[in-house]
Amino acid sequence: MRIGSRKSQLALIQTNWVQEQLSLKFPHIKFEVHTMSTKGDKILDVALAKIGDKALFTKELETGMMNREIDFAVHSLKDLPTRLPEGLGLAAITERENPADALVVHEKHKDKQLDTLPEGAVIGTSSLRRLAQLRHHFPHFEFKDVRGNLNTRLAKLDAGEYDGLILAAAGLGRLGMAERIHQVIPKEISLHAVGQGALGIECLADNQQLISLLKELEHPHTRDRCLAERAFLRDLEGGCQVPIGVNTDIHGDELTMIGIVASIDGTKRVQDTVTGSLSEPEKLGTELAQRLREQGAQEILDEIFATVGRG
């Protein structure tokens, strides 16, 4: 069976993990990794939000599945659009790593966290979600776009181009770089991206035999949390680069979800929380989206879409 993956180091680590787990469960099947470069991998000199493509990191892999060049693809779930192309489906969601954002700082600030960095500190991020939330709490920082894979970004930080970077804690952990984390950013400052920390495995929607095989890697609690998050984002018609953040927790048979929509400059924000039955996670996500829309989220999003498009 042919597994599709992006060529980046992190993507390959994630895909190789899926390959290993499937090989352990199904030793009679040979799983081969096939790599592809996506549009998001090729365009490195433009801010993600300005490219305007919801499938920046997935389209080429999805085309490969439709053309029967690969059987299924492994994605960072946060990169996978909430509306999939006709004929494709989300077969499984793996157990989530820590979904929080993390601060990584230059050596000269090794004793600092966000609230102790100096005024005017240059903070690198390619995410409008992170930018909007951090600008609200830390308007005295200078925020600068940063692109490239994780190693490239860290090299720019170490060379002194930035005082700090905001990255996904899960990605740093998977790359064996958890020691670079100076602060795991609490949800009170930055709600994480939809699906952050989880992997999504996508395949043809009508291949029931393959879907049942891939379901062996599914983690039920992660699935329920992420389905709620994806329904929330889908209902707000937000792409990966819109300032929409979430946090989900499960207690017993209840799911609690916090959601935020913020303007890019951080001055406008609407946030709310819902709790409901774990048996209907997507209904909960839709309910939260409706609540935020009633509180002004749509006006904020319309302003952003007029500026950066609906990517």
Side-chain angles (χ1 to χ4, degrees), residues 246-263:
V246 294
N247 184 269
T248 47
D249 281 301
I250 292 174
H251 301 283
D253 59 357
E254 285 192 332
L255 175 65
T256 297
M257 183 174 179
I258 307 169
I260 188 172
V261 175
S263 61

Side-chain angles (χ1 to χ4, degrees), residues 80-97:
L80 190 63
T82 55
R83 299 183 191 278
L84 301 182
E86 186 175 353
L88 294 175
L90 183 53
I93 299 174
T94 67
E95 185 170 5
R96 187 175 226 165
E97 302 286 337

Side-chain angles (χ1 to χ4, degrees), residues 105-112 117-118 157 160 162-163 182:
V105 298
H106 187 273
E107 173 70 16
K108 66 185 177 184
H109 299 303
K110 62 183 179 182
D111 59 340
K112 302 287 197 299
L117 282 168
L157 171 70
Y162 303 86
D163 293 293
H182 284 76

Side-chain angles (χ1 to χ4, degrees), residues 96-221:
R96 187 175 226 165
E97 302 286 337
N98 185 348
D101 293 328
L103 171 70
V104 180
V105 298
H106 187 273
E107 173 70 16
K108 66 185 177 184
H109 299 303
K110 62 183 179 182
D111 59 340
K112 302 287 197 299
Q113 294 196 336
L114 279 170
D115 58 355
T116 54
L117 282 168
E119 184 170 347
V122 178
I123 306 298
T125 176
S126 60
S127 162
L128 291 185
R129 172 189 58 80
R130 292 169 179 155
L131 180 64
Q133 294 184 88
L134 290 170
R135 271 182 171 160
H136 175 79
H137 292 281
F138 306 101
H140 55 284
F141 291 161
E142 178 186 342
F143 293 94
K144 185 178 172 184
D145 193 64
V146 58
R147 290 293 315 278
N149 62 39
L150 210 50
N151 289 324
T152 300
R153 296 184 195 193
L154 290 170
K156 291 179 179 180
L157 171 70
D158 295 338
E161 293 184 38
Y162 303 86
D163 293 293
L165 299 177
I166 309 298
L167 302 165
L172 288 163
R174 287 185 178 124
L175 284 168
M177 298 180 181
E179 77 283 351
R180 296 285 319 243
I181 296 174
H182 284 76
Q183 180 184 10
V184 175
I185 302 173
K187 62 178 182 287
E188 290 76 19
I189 293 176
S190 183
L191 296 179
H192 61 74
V194 165
Q196 187 158 302
L199 305 182
I201 308 177
E202 185 183 20
C203 72
L204 295 176
D206 61 359
N207 192 337
Q208 293 304 317
Q209 185 176 0
L210 178 55
I211 291 171
S212 65
L213 181 148
L214 296 173
K215 285 288 183 193
E216 289 291 316
L217 298 189
E218 185 142 87
H219 186 257
H221 274 193

